[in-house]
Amino acid sequence: MGARIAIVLIFICDQCPAMTEPTLSLIPDFDLSARNTLALTARSRFGVLLDRPEQIEALFALAEERNLPLRLLGGGSNVVLSEHFEGITALLATKGRRIVATHADAVVVEAAAGEIWHDLVTWTVEQGLGGLENLALIPGTVGAAPVQNIGAYGAELADFFDSLTAYDRLEGRAREFGPAECAFGYRDSLFKRSPGRFVVLSLRLRLPKPWQPNLRFAGLAELAGEAELSPALVMARVIALRQSKLPDWRLTPNAGSFFQNPIVTQEQAAPILVEFPAAPNFAQTDGRLKLSAGWLIEQSDLKGFRLGPAGISERHALVVVNYGGAVASDIAALAAHVKRTVLARFGVALHEEPIFL
Ligand code: EPU
């Protein structure tokens, strides 16, 4: 492999002062193996690092000019990257977080898309601001968080959402989005449903005052009696819970939950609940039931199952692991096997949570 040569392209933006001209450095044959938490062997014809939101327009113009496909990457924690991408992979590395408003009933914080989600959670808790502590340790960036409406331990991003700024490639401008427009659902949003159209640039979250601890989740309920209950204490428990259940991607590369928990009709669930009355199930507002994908996979005898270099974690059946040297096709083959097996055993179709890029 030859040494990487950085081609520096200067774009003149007629609305920007001379000092803030967006400069893009295209890196050829860009290695992404260390930039996805599944540690898949993956390369891109070009890579580019964006550290200022103004560079977005220049990036789209460049991709169009060169007639190359473009994809955006945050923390690489919820993606299955193809072995080779014949285009430009842009990494959003914009930084910054601040309190933007203090109201009687809430504090609004803002963070740039490239910030690490867990660092934002820790920072808010350090500021004495509660709300995000149940969402501690979720891997990935702030910009990726609203795309799949991240959630854990009885909370999800939508609960704290104020607004976000995203660049709309179709309209050719950045604009603000309120909660209704984002159309958040379970691990879903407008941005997830329109791949390639939007780039989230910054996110604003509304943290209610006074703090209302959310201890509904089984592993947190026992904290209710604590005299010194604080966001920091809940965060510490959430971190301990996650560490006890989920393999650490730094040690065992993975992308967190690999399948969404399926939401099925009462009719679909009935035979499962007759055979296994204790099968985990959660009633939805529309009368359907959310089943546990981890449970279905474990009951299909797939916990710890391996196919080549990929496998289902021995610790948590919802987590797909790269045991070394896996590429996207290994992950796809394993996922297809799991989906086939669960469908044959329980008649339930599973859907992947990560995006295949
Ligand atoms: N279960 C099994 N076997 C397993 C794992 C789980 O039978 O190997 C069953 C157990 O009965 C358990 C139930 O599944 O009680 C639920 O498991 P868990 O509490 O771990 O939650 P989950 O539904 O598997 C979801 C999120 C996680 C989040 C946890 C905690 C999804 C797809 N996953 O997992 O999110 O951390 O709840 O709130 O909704 C992620 O999105 O990457 C992620 C880790």
Side-chain angles (χ1 to χ4, degrees):
M1 196 65 53
R4 274 195 212 139
I5 303 155
I7 307 166
V8 179
L9 297 148
I10 312 274
F11 286 84
I12 311 293
C13 162
D14 50 16
Q15 277 129 35
C16 315
M19 289 304 289
T20 58
E21 283 163 13
T23 306
L24 296 179
S25 301
L26 276 189
I27 305 160
D29 193 24
F30 195 60
D31 185 359
L32 292 160
S33 337
R35 295 187 184 268
N36 71 102
T37 62
L38 263 167
L40 300 178
T41 306
R43 304 192 86 86
S44 178
R45 180 161 166 205
F46 293 109
V48 62
L49 249 76
L50 302 188
D51 51 19
R52 281 176 291 139
E54 313 84 72
Q55 292 169 318
I56 279 288
E57 281 189 347
L59 176 69
F60 285 133
L62 172 66
E64 244 156 63
E65 195 181 287
R66 294 201 162 203
N67 200 19
L68 283 172
L70 174 67
R71 61 181 189 183
L72 264 293
L73 202 59
S77 62
N78 198 42
V79 289
V80 177
L81 294 181
S82 56
E83 204 173 346
H84 182 78
F85 179 65
E86 191 49 35
I88 304 172
T89 303
L91 295 153
L92 220 60
T94 51
K95 297 285 175 204
R97 58 195 178 205
R98 64 196 177 110
I99 293 173
V100 284
T102 304
H103 306 292
D105 61 345
V107 173
V108 181
V109 296
E110 180 180 60
E115 285 281 335
I116 301 299
W117 172 260
H118 178 66
D119 293 350
L120 173 66
V121 175
T122 312
W123 176 76
T124 57
V125 169
E126 280 168 6
Q127 308 298 305
L129 302 172
L132 304 183
E133 57 282 350
N134 292 40
L135 303 175
L137 219 60
I138 296 182
T141 56
V142 164
V147 176
Q148 65 143 351
N149 185 21
I150 57 170
Y153 304 108
E156 59 179 20
L157 181 118
D159 303 338
F160 304 97
F161 184 79
D162 177 82
S163 59
L164 62 76
T165 305
Y167 186 84
D168 181 345
R169 197 174 180 182
L170 214 65
E171 291 187 11
R173 67 185 177 107
R175 66 183 177 92
E176 196 165 312
F177 292 75
E181 231 181 324
C182 294
F184 291 120
Y186 167 61
R187 295 296 194 276
D188 197 27
S189 72
L190 161 78
F191 312 103
K192 189 167 179 179
R193 286 193 295 271
S194 332
R197 176 167 172 188
F198 301 103
V199 181
V200 177
L201 299 174
S202 62
L203 173 67
R204 284 164 294 282
L205 297 169
R206 200 177 176 81
L207 309 178
K209 276 198 322 190
W211 174 56
Q212 285 149 7
N214 173 354
L215 306 175
R216 282 183 304 245
F217 196 84
L220 301 178
E222 67 234 39
L223 286 178
E226 284 285 335
E228 302 284 309
L229 193 61
S230 66
L233 190 74
V234 177
M235 183 167 85
R237 178 61 63 92
V238 166
I239 290 174
L241 267 177
R242 277 191 86 93
Q243 286 174 337
S244 71
K245 283 191 177 190
L246 298 163
D248 182 345
W249 62 268
R250 291 173 193 84
L251 309 172
T252 318
N254 72 79
S257 295
F258 197 85
F259 297 99
Q260 296 179 7
N261 286 329
I263 298 172
V264 300
T265 61
Q266 303 261 358
E267 292 71 42
Q268 275 181 291
I272 302 171
L273 296 174
V274 167
E275 190 181 351
F276 299 96
N281 67 92
F282 312 91
Q284 304 297 290
T285 45
D286 60 5
R288 293 186 298 162
L289 292 176
K290 190 194 265 183
L291 302 178
S292 158
W295 184 89
L296 293 166
I297 295 168
E298 181 164 352
Q299 294 302 319
S300 303
D301 286 330
L302 289 170
K303 198 166 180 172
F305 173 78
R306 287 199 188 199
L307 189 64
I312 297 294
S313 165
E314 280 155 17
R315 290 181 60 191
H316 198 299
L318 202 46
V319 178
V320 164
V321 167
N322 171 9
Y323 287 106
V327 293
S329 56
D330 297 312
I331 303 294
L334 175 74
H337 178 78
V338 171
K339 287 165 80 172
R340 262 196 315 270
T341 311
V342 170
L343 186 63
R345 174 70 180 86
F346 291 108
V348 174
L350 294 182
H351 299 285
E352 288 90 347
E353 193 174 292
I355 300 163
F356 284 70
L357 279 177

